[in-house]
PDB file of all heavy atoms in Angstrom:
ATOM      1  N   LEU A 247     -21.603  16.738  -3.444  1.00  0.00           N
ATOM      2  CA  LEU A 247     -22.083  17.493  -4.499  1.00  0.00           C
ATOM      3  C   LEU A 247     -21.090  18.267  -5.286  1.00  0.00           C
ATOM      4  O   LEU A 247     -21.091  18.499  -6.469  1.00  0.00           O
ATOM      5  CB  LEU A 247     -23.262  18.440  -4.040  1.00  0.00           C
ATOM      6  CG  LEU A 247     -24.565  17.750  -3.540  1.00  0.00           C
ATOM      7  CD1 LEU A 247     -25.560  18.732  -3.123  1.00  0.00           C
ATOM      8  CD2 LEU A 247     -25.082  16.831  -4.639  1.00  0.00           C
ATOM      9  N   LEU A 248     -20.035  18.744  -4.527  1.00  0.00           N
ATOM     10  CA  LEU A 248     -18.975  19.473  -5.165  1.00  0.00           C
ATOM     11  C   LEU A 248     -17.796  18.704  -5.490  1.00  0.00           C
ATOM     12  O   LEU A 248     -16.752  19.236  -5.770  1.00  0.00           O
ATOM     13  CB  LEU A 248     -18.597  20.693  -4.223  1.00  0.00           C
ATOM     14  CG  LEU A 248     -19.640  21.752  -3.949  1.00  0.00           C
ATOM     15  CD1 LEU A 248     -19.117  22.870  -2.982  1.00  0.00           C
ATOM     16  CD2 LEU A 248     -20.109  22.338  -5.247  1.00  0.00           C
ATOM     17  N   SER A 249     -17.889  17.385  -5.409  1.00  0.00           N
ATOM     18  CA  SER A 249     -16.679  16.570  -5.678  1.00  0.00           C
ATOM     19  C   SER A 249     -16.375  16.542  -7.119  1.00  0.00           C
ATOM     20  O   SER A 249     -17.198  17.068  -7.995  1.00  0.00           O
ATOM     21  CB  SER A 249     -16.965  15.161  -5.165  1.00  0.00           C
ATOM     22  OG  SER A 249     -17.949  14.534  -5.938  1.00  0.00           O
ATOM     23  N   GLU A 250     -15.255  15.981  -7.412  1.00  0.00           N
ATOM     24  CA  GLU A 250     -14.787  15.854  -8.853  1.00  0.00           C
ATOM     25  C   GLU A 250     -15.736  15.190  -9.710  1.00  0.00           C
ATOM     26  O   GLU A 250     -16.144  15.490 -10.809  1.00  0.00           O
ATOM     27  CB  GLU A 250     -13.465  15.197  -8.964  1.00  0.00           C
ATOM     28  CG  GLU A 250     -12.318  15.830  -8.234  1.00  0.00           C
ATOM     29  CD  GLU A 250     -12.057  15.263  -6.912  1.00  0.00           C
ATOM     30  OE1 GLU A 250     -13.126  14.897  -6.240  1.00  0.00           O
ATOM     31  OE2 GLU A 250     -10.882  15.149  -6.460  1.00  0.00           O
ATOM     32  N   GLN A 251     -16.398  14.041  -9.031  1.00  0.00           N
ATOM     33  CA  GLN A 251     -17.356  13.185  -9.672  1.00  0.00           C
ATOM     34  C   GLN A 251     -18.559  14.067 -10.185  1.00  0.00           C
ATOM     35  O   GLN A 251     -18.902  14.036 -11.335  1.00  0.00           O
ATOM     36  CB  GLN A 251     -17.833  12.144  -8.653  1.00  0.00           C
ATOM     37  CG  GLN A 251     -18.577  11.137  -9.305  1.00  0.00           C
ATOM     38  CD  GLN A 251     -18.985  10.170  -8.205  1.00  0.00           C
ATOM     39  OE1 GLN A 251     -18.631  10.215  -7.005  1.00  0.00           O
ATOM     40  NE2 GLN A 251     -19.885   9.147  -8.580  1.00  0.00           N
ATOM     41  N   SER A 252     -19.012  14.968  -9.316  1.00  0.00           N
ATOM     42  CA  SER A 252     -20.191  15.771  -9.741  1.00  0.00           C
ATOM     43  C   SER A 252     -19.906  16.654 -10.886  1.00  0.00           C
ATOM     44  O   SER A 252     -20.714  16.865 -11.705  1.00  0.00           O
ATOM     45  CB  SER A 252     -20.601  16.667  -8.542  1.00  0.00           C
ATOM     46  OG  SER A 252     -20.844  15.796  -7.414  1.00  0.00           O
ATOM     47  N   PHE A 253     -18.615  17.180 -10.937  1.00  0.00           N
ATOM     48  CA  PHE A 253     -18.194  18.080 -11.960  1.00  0.00           C
ATOM     49  C   PHE A 253     -18.423  17.333 -13.359  1.00  0.00           C
ATOM     50  O   PHE A 253     -18.983  17.764 -14.205  1.00  0.00           O
ATOM     51  CB  PHE A 253     -16.674  18.383 -11.697  1.00  0.00           C
ATOM     52  CG  PHE A 253     -16.154  19.206 -12.692  1.00  0.00           C
ATOM     53  CD1 PHE A 253     -16.509  20.613 -12.864  1.00  0.00           C
ATOM     54  CD2 PHE A 253     -15.171  18.818 -13.672  1.00  0.00           C
ATOM     55  CE1 PHE A 253     -15.974  21.466 -13.818  1.00  0.00           C
ATOM     56  CE2 PHE A 253     -14.674  19.589 -14.611  1.00  0.00           C
ATOM     57  CZ  PHE A 253     -15.034  20.939 -14.729  1.00  0.00           C
ATOM     58  N   PHE A 254     -17.934  16.018 -13.392  1.00  0.00           N
ATOM     59  CA  PHE A 254     -17.968  15.291 -14.562  1.00  0.00           C
ATOM     60  C   PHE A 254     -19.468  14.856 -14.893  1.00  0.00           C
ATOM     61  O   PHE A 254     -19.763  14.796 -16.075  1.00  0.00           O
ATOM     62  CB  PHE A 254     -17.162  14.120 -14.579  1.00  0.00           C
ATOM     63  CG  PHE A 254     -15.642  14.535 -14.607  1.00  0.00           C
ATOM     64  CD1 PHE A 254     -14.853  14.363 -13.595  1.00  0.00           C
ATOM     65  CD2 PHE A 254     -15.140  15.037 -15.775  1.00  0.00           C
ATOM     66  CE1 PHE A 254     -13.475  14.755 -13.606  1.00  0.00           C
ATOM     67  CE2 PHE A 254     -13.847  15.449 -15.866  1.00  0.00           C
ATOM     68  CZ  PHE A 254     -13.006  15.274 -14.757  1.00  0.00           C
ATOM     69  N   VAL A 255     -20.244  14.743 -13.844  1.00  0.00           N
ATOM     70  CA  VAL A 255     -21.616  14.336 -14.053  1.00  0.00           C
ATOM     71  C   VAL A 255     -22.331  15.500 -14.753  1.00  0.00           C
ATOM     72  O   VAL A 255     -23.022  15.304 -15.756  1.00  0.00           O
ATOM     73  CB  VAL A 255     -22.344  13.998 -12.692  1.00  0.00           C
ATOM     74  CG1 VAL A 255     -23.866  14.096 -12.855  1.00  0.00           C
ATOM     75  CG2 VAL A 255     -21.871  12.740 -12.139  1.00  0.00           C
ATOM     76  N   VAL A 256     -22.074  16.734 -14.190  1.00  0.00           N
ATOM     77  CA  VAL A 256     -22.707  17.907 -14.848  1.00  0.00           C
ATOM     78  C   VAL A 256     -22.268  18.129 -16.213  1.00  0.00           C
ATOM     79  O   VAL A 256     -23.060  18.378 -17.155  1.00  0.00           O
ATOM     80  CB  VAL A 256     -22.427  19.212 -13.988  1.00  0.00           C
ATOM     81  CG1 VAL A 256     -22.891  20.418 -14.755  1.00  0.00           C
ATOM     82  CG2 VAL A 256     -23.022  19.054 -12.677  1.00  0.00           C
ATOM     83  N   LEU A 257     -20.946  17.891 -16.481  1.00  0.00           N
ATOM     84  CA  LEU A 257     -20.351  18.046 -17.821  1.00  0.00           C
ATOM     85  C   LEU A 257     -21.007  17.003 -18.768  1.00  0.00           C
ATOM     86  O   LEU A 257     -21.366  17.357 -19.875  1.00  0.00           O
ATOM     87  CB  LEU A 257     -18.876  17.768 -17.714  1.00  0.00           C
ATOM     88  CG  LEU A 257     -18.047  18.576 -18.728  1.00  0.00           C
ATOM     89  CD1 LEU A 257     -18.039  19.947 -18.334  1.00  0.00           C
ATOM     90  CD2 LEU A 257     -16.576  18.004 -18.679  1.00  0.00           C
ATOM     91  N   GLY A 258     -21.163  15.705 -18.323  1.00  0.00           N
ATOM     92  CA  GLY A 258     -21.737  14.723 -19.163  1.00  0.00           C
ATOM     93  C   GLY A 258     -23.164  15.000 -19.448  1.00  0.00           C
ATOM     94  O   GLY A 258     -23.665  14.921 -20.573  1.00  0.00           O
ATOM     95  N   GLY A 259     -23.876  15.506 -18.388  1.00  0.00           N
ATOM     96  CA  GLY A 259     -25.394  15.940 -18.639  1.00  0.00           C
ATOM     97  C   GLY A 259     -25.488  16.991 -19.732  1.00  0.00           C
ATOM     98  O   GLY A 259     -26.299  16.807 -20.609  1.00  0.00           O
ATOM     99  N   ILE A 260     -24.661  18.043 -19.563  1.00  0.00           N
ATOM    100  CA  ILE A 260     -24.711  19.070 -20.481  1.00  0.00           C
ATOM    101  C   ILE A 260     -24.423  18.610 -21.904  1.00  0.00           C
ATOM    102  O   ILE A 260     -25.132  18.904 -22.910  1.00  0.00           O
ATOM    103  CB  ILE A 260     -23.770  20.238 -20.116  1.00  0.00           C
ATOM    104  CG1 ILE A 260     -24.241  20.862 -18.855  1.00  0.00           C
ATOM    105  CG2 ILE A 260     -23.657  21.339 -21.173  1.00  0.00           C
ATOM    106  CD1 ILE A 260     -23.220  21.919 -18.344  1.00  0.00           C
ATOM    107  N   ALA A 261     -23.338  17.820 -22.001  1.00  0.00           N
ATOM    108  CA  ALA A 261     -23.009  17.209 -23.379  1.00  0.00           C
ATOM    109  C   ALA A 261     -24.060  16.432 -23.979  1.00  0.00           C
ATOM    110  O   ALA A 261     -24.382  16.597 -25.145  1.00  0.00           O
ATOM    111  CB  ALA A 261     -21.759  16.381 -23.181  1.00  0.00           C
ATOM    112  N   SER A 262     -24.729  15.576 -23.190  1.00  0.00           N
ATOM    113  CA  SER A 262     -25.736  14.795 -23.784  1.00  0.00           C
ATOM    114  C   SER A 262     -26.975  15.637 -24.099  1.00  0.00           C
ATOM    115  O   SER A 262     -27.703  15.389 -25.128  1.00  0.00           O
ATOM    116  CB  SER A 262     -26.136  13.669 -22.833  1.00  0.00           C
ATOM    117  OG  SER A 262     -26.456  14.093 -21.580  1.00  0.00           O
ATOM    118  N   ALA A 263     -27.245  16.665 -23.275  1.00  0.00           N
ATOM    119  CA  ALA A 263     -28.406  17.546 -23.736  1.00  0.00           C
ATOM    120  C   ALA A 263     -28.143  18.285 -25.023  1.00  0.00           C
ATOM    121  O   ALA A 263     -29.014  18.349 -25.879  1.00  0.00           O
ATOM    122  CB  ALA A 263     -28.599  18.600 -22.489  1.00  0.00           C
ATOM    123  N   ILE A 264     -26.915  18.701 -25.126  1.00  0.00           N
ATOM    124  CA  ILE A 264     -26.560  19.371 -26.396  1.00  0.00           C
ATOM    125  C   ILE A 264     -26.599  18.477 -27.534  1.00  0.00           C
ATOM    126  O   ILE A 264     -27.177  18.800 -28.645  1.00  0.00           O
ATOM    127  CB  ILE A 264     -25.186  20.034 -26.226  1.00  0.00           C
ATOM    128  CG1 ILE A 264     -25.188  21.207 -25.260  1.00  0.00           C
ATOM    129  CG2 ILE A 264     -24.670  20.508 -27.616  1.00  0.00           C
ATOM    130  CD1 ILE A 264     -23.771  21.736 -24.981  1.00  0.00           C
ATOM    131  N   LEU A 265     -26.155  17.256 -27.316  1.00  0.00           N
ATOM    132  CA  LEU A 265     -26.139  16.290 -28.384  1.00  0.00           C
ATOM    133  C   LEU A 265     -27.548  15.930 -28.784  1.00  0.00           C
ATOM    134  O   LEU A 265     -27.794  15.829 -30.075  1.00  0.00           O
ATOM    135  CB  LEU A 265     -25.472  14.938 -27.854  1.00  0.00           C
ATOM    136  CG  LEU A 265     -23.959  14.802 -28.236  1.00  0.00           C
ATOM    137  CD1 LEU A 265     -23.423  13.524 -27.625  1.00  0.00           C
ATOM    138  CD2 LEU A 265     -23.843  14.771 -29.672  1.00  0.00           C
ATOM    139  N   SER A 266     -28.416  15.773 -27.856  1.00  0.00           N
ATOM    140  CA  SER A 266     -29.801  15.394 -28.171  1.00  0.00           C
ATOM    141  C   SER A 266     -30.516  16.519 -28.812  1.00  0.00           C
ATOM    142  O   SER A 266     -31.296  16.416 -29.760  1.00  0.00           O
ATOM    143  CB  SER A 266     -30.557  14.906 -27.089  1.00  0.00           C
ATOM    144  OG  SER A 266     -30.687  15.971 -26.000  1.00  0.00           O
ATOM    145  N   ALA A 267     -30.108  17.769 -28.467  1.00  0.00           N
ATOM    146  CA  ALA A 267     -30.790  18.877 -29.087  1.00  0.00           C
ATOM    147  C   ALA A 267     -30.292  19.024 -30.573  1.00  0.00           C
ATOM    148  O   ALA A 267     -31.119  19.382 -31.376  1.00  0.00           O
ATOM    149  CB  ALA A 267     -30.442  20.193 -28.323  1.00  0.00           C
ATOM    150  N   VAL A 268     -28.979  18.780 -30.748  1.00  0.00           N
ATOM    151  CA  VAL A 268     -28.545  18.980 -32.106  1.00  0.00           C
ATOM    152  C   VAL A 268     -28.919  17.940 -33.014  1.00  0.00           C
ATOM    153  O   VAL A 268     -29.352  18.205 -34.170  1.00  0.00           O
ATOM    154  CB  VAL A 268     -26.873  19.005 -32.015  1.00  0.00           C
ATOM    155  CG1 VAL A 268     -26.251  18.863 -33.405  1.00  0.00           C
ATOM    156  CG2 VAL A 268     -26.372  20.326 -31.365  1.00  0.00           C
ATOM    157  N   THR A 269     -28.946  16.699 -32.562  1.00  0.00           N
ATOM    158  CA  THR A 269     -29.328  15.563 -33.389  1.00  0.00           C
ATOM    159  C   THR A 269     -30.784  15.277 -33.342  1.00  0.00           C
ATOM    160  O   THR A 269     -31.369  14.421 -34.038  1.00  0.00           O
ATOM    161  CB  THR A 269     -28.579  14.266 -33.011  1.00  0.00           C
ATOM    162  OG1 THR A 269     -28.899  13.992 -31.662  1.00  0.00           O
ATOM    163  CG2 THR A 269     -27.069  14.490 -33.241  1.00  0.00           C
ATOM    164  N   GLU A 270     -31.563  16.034 -32.542  1.00  0.00           N
ATOM    165  CA  GLU A 270     -32.967  15.788 -32.352  1.00  0.00           C
ATOM    166  C   GLU A 270     -33.333  14.291 -32.110  1.00  0.00           C
ATOM    167  O   GLU A 270     -34.300  13.760 -32.650  1.00  0.00           O
ATOM    168  CB  GLU A 270     -33.697  16.380 -33.554  1.00  0.00           C
ATOM    169  CG  GLU A 270     -33.608  17.860 -33.686  1.00  0.00           C
ATOM    170  CD  GLU A 270     -34.522  18.420 -34.807  1.00  0.00           C
ATOM    171  OE1 GLU A 270     -35.086  17.515 -35.468  1.00  0.00           O
ATOM    172  OE2 GLU A 270     -34.689  19.608 -34.815  1.00  0.00           O
ATOM    173  N   ASN A 271     -32.441  13.685 -31.236  1.00  0.00           N
ATOM    174  CA  ASN A 271     -32.700  12.292 -30.970  1.00  0.00           C
ATOM    175  C   ASN A 271     -32.855  12.177 -29.443  1.00  0.00           C
ATOM    176  O   ASN A 271     -32.002  12.566 -28.683  1.00  0.00           O
ATOM    177  CB  ASN A 271     -31.410  11.537 -31.466  1.00  0.00           C
ATOM    178  CG  ASN A 271     -31.621  10.035 -31.226  1.00  0.00           C
ATOM    179  OD1 ASN A 271     -32.566   9.644 -30.594  1.00  0.00           O
ATOM    180  ND2 ASN A 271     -30.728   9.348 -31.743  1.00  0.00           N
ATOM    181  N   ARG A 272     -33.994  11.618 -29.092  1.00  0.00           N
ATOM    182  CA  ARG A 272     -34.366  11.551 -27.704  1.00  0.00           C
ATOM    183  C   ARG A 272     -33.639  10.428 -26.973  1.00  0.00           C
ATOM    184  O   ARG A 272     -33.788  10.148 -25.823  1.00  0.00           O
ATOM    185  CB  ARG A 272     -35.892  11.391 -27.472  1.00  0.00           C
ATOM    186  CG  ARG A 272     -36.658  12.620 -28.083  1.00  0.00           C
ATOM    187  CD  ARG A 272     -36.955  13.520 -26.972  1.00  0.00           C
ATOM    188  NE  ARG A 272     -37.201  14.908 -27.681  1.00  0.00           N
ATOM    189  CZ  ARG A 272     -37.352  16.003 -27.083  1.00  0.00           C
ATOM    190  NH1 ARG A 272     -37.211  16.075 -25.746  1.00  0.00           N
ATOM    191  NH2 ARG A 272     -37.580  17.070 -27.633  1.00  0.00           N
ATOM    192  N   GLY A 273     -33.053   9.595 -27.834  1.00  0.00           N
ATOM    193  CA  GLY A 273     -32.509   8.351 -27.394  1.00  0.00           C
ATOM    194  C   GLY A 273     -31.405   8.493 -26.294  1.00  0.00           C
ATOM    195  O   GLY A 273     -31.156   7.646 -25.468  1.00  0.00           O
ATOM    196  N   PHE A 274     -30.739   9.721 -26.321  1.00  0.00           N
ATOM    197  CA  PHE A 274     -29.674  10.014 -25.421  1.00  0.00           C
ATOM    198  C   PHE A 274     -30.088   9.909 -23.983  1.00  0.00           C
ATOM    199  O   PHE A 274     -29.399   9.393 -23.078  1.00  0.00           O
ATOM    200  CB  PHE A 274     -29.019  11.324 -25.702  1.00  0.00           C
ATOM    201  CG  PHE A 274     -28.117  11.320 -26.868  1.00  0.00           C
ATOM    202  CD1 PHE A 274     -28.534  11.898 -27.992  1.00  0.00           C
ATOM    203  CD2 PHE A 274     -26.970  10.605 -26.806  1.00  0.00           C
ATOM    204  CE1 PHE A 274     -27.741  11.897 -29.177  1.00  0.00           C
ATOM    205  CE2 PHE A 274     -26.093  10.551 -27.946  1.00  0.00           C
ATOM    206  CZ  PHE A 274     -26.477  11.266 -29.092  1.00  0.00           C
ATOM    207  N   TYR A 275     -31.371  10.332 -23.713  1.00  0.00           N
ATOM    208  CA  TYR A 275     -31.784  10.361 -22.283  1.00  0.00           C
ATOM    209  C   TYR A 275     -31.929   8.903 -21.800  1.00  0.00           C
ATOM    210  O   TYR A 275     -31.709   8.728 -20.584  1.00  0.00           O
ATOM    211  CB  TYR A 275     -33.250  11.070 -22.240  1.00  0.00           C
ATOM    212  CG  TYR A 275     -33.078  12.459 -22.488  1.00  0.00           C
ATOM    213  CD1 TYR A 275     -33.711  13.087 -23.617  1.00  0.00           C
ATOM    214  CD2 TYR A 275     -32.286  13.305 -21.798  1.00  0.00           C
ATOM    215  CE1 TYR A 275     -33.703  14.404 -23.874  1.00  0.00           C
ATOM    216  CE2 TYR A 275     -32.160  14.584 -21.930  1.00  0.00           C
ATOM    217  CZ  TYR A 275     -32.861  15.168 -23.050  1.00  0.00           C
ATOM    218  OH  TYR A 275     -32.708  16.548 -23.325  1.00  0.00           O
ATOM    219  N   PHE A 276     -32.277   7.990 -22.715  1.00  0.00           N
ATOM    220  CA  PHE A 276     -32.314   6.610 -22.182  1.00  0.00           C
ATOM    221  C   PHE A 276     -31.010   5.991 -21.738  1.00  0.00           C
ATOM    222  O   PHE A 276     -30.887   5.235 -20.884  1.00  0.00           O
ATOM    223  CB  PHE A 276     -33.026   5.725 -23.158  1.00  0.00           C
ATOM    224  CG  PHE A 276     -34.443   6.152 -23.397  1.00  0.00           C
ATOM    225  CD1 PHE A 276     -34.829   6.765 -24.624  1.00  0.00           C
ATOM    226  CD2 PHE A 276     -35.477   5.893 -22.486  1.00  0.00           C
ATOM    227  CE1 PHE A 276     -36.126   7.225 -24.773  1.00  0.00           C
ATOM    228  CE2 PHE A 276     -36.775   6.267 -22.686  1.00  0.00           C
ATOM    229  CZ  PHE A 276     -37.052   6.812 -23.832  1.00  0.00           C
ATOM    230  N   TYR A 277     -29.993   6.461 -22.452  1.00  0.00           N
ATOM    231  CA  TYR A 277     -28.605   5.993 -22.044  1.00  0.00           C
ATOM    232  C   TYR A 277     -28.279   6.535 -20.696  1.00  0.00           C
ATOM    233  O   TYR A 277     -27.433   6.043 -19.963  1.00  0.00           O
ATOM    234  CB  TYR A 277     -27.618   6.453 -23.106  1.00  0.00           C
ATOM    235  CG  TYR A 277     -27.850   5.676 -24.443  1.00  0.00           C
ATOM    236  CD1 TYR A 277     -28.016   6.470 -25.573  1.00  0.00           C
ATOM    237  CD2 TYR A 277     -27.874   4.341 -24.470  1.00  0.00           C
ATOM    238  CE1 TYR A 277     -28.279   5.922 -26.776  1.00  0.00           C
ATOM    239  CE2 TYR A 277     -28.110   3.720 -25.808  1.00  0.00           C
ATOM    240  CZ  TYR A 277     -28.275   4.556 -26.873  1.00  0.00           C
ATOM    241  OH  TYR A 277     -28.556   3.948 -28.050  1.00  0.00           O
ATOM    242  N   LEU A 278     -28.928   7.598 -20.328  1.00  0.00           N
ATOM    243  CA  LEU A 278     -28.426   8.286 -19.033  1.00  0.00           C
ATOM    244  C   LEU A 278     -28.992   7.507 -17.812  1.00  0.00           C
ATOM    245  O   LEU A 278     -28.536   7.609 -16.811  1.00  0.00           O
ATOM    246  CB  LEU A 278     -28.960   9.635 -18.965  1.00  0.00           C
ATOM    247  CG  LEU A 278     -28.271  10.681 -19.886  1.00  0.00           C
ATOM    248  CD1 LEU A 278     -28.792  11.982 -19.781  1.00  0.00           C
ATOM    249  CD2 LEU A 278     -26.837  10.671 -19.452  1.00  0.00           C
ATOM    250  N   ILE A 279     -30.034   6.695 -18.040  1.00  0.00           N
ATOM    251  CA  ILE A 279     -30.753   6.032 -16.944  1.00  0.00           C
ATOM    252  C   ILE A 279     -29.810   5.096 -16.146  1.00  0.00           C
ATOM    253  O   ILE A 279     -29.523   5.313 -14.991  1.00  0.00           O
ATOM    254  CB  ILE A 279     -32.061   5.370 -17.373  1.00  0.00           C
ATOM    255  CG1 ILE A 279     -33.014   6.332 -17.833  1.00  0.00           C
ATOM    256  CG2 ILE A 279     -32.586   4.362 -16.227  1.00  0.00           C
ATOM    257  CD1 ILE A 279     -34.315   5.798 -18.442  1.00  0.00           C
TER     258      ILE A 279
END
Side-chain angles (χ1 to χ4, degrees):
Chain A
L247 291 179
L248 291 179
S249 63
E250 299 97 321
Q251 193 183 351
S252 304
F253 180 73
F254 289 109
V255 167
V256 172
L257 211 68
I260 292 172
S262 51
I264 291 173
L265 266 177
S266 63
V268 167
T269 58
E270 292 185 354
N271 185 350
R272 303 264 156 190
F274 283 107
Y275 291 118
F276 293 105
Y277 296 123
L278 288 178
I279 292 172

